[in-house]
Structures are given as C-alpha cells and as structure tokens.
Amino acid sequence: MKKKAFWFICSTFLLIQAFGQKPELIINTFHSERVYDMAFHPSGEIIATGSWDKTIIIWDYLTGRKLRTLNGHNNAIFSLSFSADGKYLASGGGEYDEDNTIRIWDPLNGKLIKEIPSKSKDGIRLVQFTQTNNQMVSYNGSMLHLIDIQSGKILKSLELYSSIYSIYDTGHLLVENNKNLEIYDLLNLQKINEIPVKNSLYELVLSFSSKNNVALIEELSSFTNGNNYNYLLRNMATGADIKIENGEKKSWAISSDGSKLVLYKKGGLYKF
C-alpha cells in the first residue's frame, strides 16, 4: 500500500513538473474573437474551441490542423462538452434573450443533431454530459438542470448560486462554495464530497483531474492597472503549487486523463 502511495505521489509530481515547462505554440489564429471555452475529446486527439465570434472549431491536437468549423449559434459560445463515448459535442451560450440554446453536434462531420431551447434570459454558462451519454446537465448562473437529450425534458433541477466547473474524468461537477469545493454527482445532483480551498476570495478552480489529483487554479494576484492572474497546478494531496502562467485572464482545457493541457491567450493556442 505504501509503495502504491509513493508511486502515486511521484507520478503526480512528474505531471506537474511537465506542465511547468514552457508552452508550445500550436496555431496562431483560428477565431476572430476571444475563445471562451475549450474541450478535449475523450481520445485526447482532438479538441473543440468555442468563441465570442459565435463559431466552434474542431482541430487536431497533435498537429494543430483545423478539421472543421461549426456554425449555428447567433451569440457567444460559453461552454463545450464531449460525450463520454466521443460521439457527440454539446455547446451552450447566449445572453439577454439571444440564442439561449444547447446544441448537440456530430463532431466527425460537423452536422447539428439537436437543438434544446432554454427559458433562461442569462444564457447557458455550462453544459456537461453525464457518463450515460443520453443525459447532460446545464447551468445558467442560478439553476442546475439534468436534461434528457432525446426529449429535451428537464429531469431534475437544483438551485445554485456559484461558479461551477466540470470534473471531466469522473462525471461529476465541482462547485465553488466559500472555503470549500463541493463535488456533486451528475445523475442525482447531490453533493458527495468537499475539497478545501486555500484562499476562496482570490482563487477559482478551473479544472480538476481526479486520476492525478491535480487541479488547475486561477488566482487573482493584483488589481493594479487591470486584473492580473496567476495560473497554478496544485497537487490536491500535498497542496504544492507550480505557477505555469500569469498575466491577463486566459482560457484553458485539460484532457480527461489529466495528461494534456492547452491554453488560449492573445497570439494563439498553446500546449504544454
């Protein structure tokens, strides 16, 4: 048992050290406006990006080659999620009564499969498939809904006022609440665990890999001349941090197995 724990700690440390290296530019320009969200396909071989320019682009992670562009939203795209089997891509966005919809796509050919309307005026801030592939959750800033994809009907709802982030590899949601990160099961929308946060006033957990027990942290470090942020990789077992980026606010994605990390900032998309 001690031997297993030792190798777990070592592998996590090596992962953090690898992500601590200088990022490599993959592609210079692929969206006309800021990228708001990114999502890895379960294979880790392709990634989708959603932007304020109302488009989704799917591209090859290894080469940076653009595979296809998905058009259909008429407002900004705030959230993306691949199904566990990789057959579907969900997108959500919109605000102020404009395009408050969830769209389900075939990522291989770019065809729109289904459109699920939302009654929210605040837009869709998060979409996330469950592990069953036929259900998903959506969040609009105040209500978390479990949705049947085929019918578009809401199966369960939970009132929440928080920032919500997905745990991609286990089918759970990570909810920031004061000094703790609450973990919710997607299928029943019930809290099952809590993780402490070092400084809840200035930190957001952007993503979490339970396989490696590593979290990607956004830390507000300065208010001078505009907000300045540090981006940290934290070993949740030891609390050890490695700073991998700083500066203006950025968009990130981490693969489901925790082995790949990408960053969007001015100038293009980077991988670690």
Side-chain angles (χ1 to χ4, degrees), residues 110-121:
K111 291 183 178 179
L112 179 64
I113 298 173
K114 193 175 188 65
E115 186 174 331
I116 302 174
S118 169
K119 297 179 181 179
S120 169
K121 296 181 180 181

Side-chain angles (χ1 to χ4, degrees), residues 246-261:
N246 68 338
E248 63 184 12
K249 197 174 186 68
K250 301 173 177 69
S251 298
W252 299 80
I254 190 167
S255 62
S256 60
D257 63 0
S259 66
K260 299 179 180 71
L261 181 67

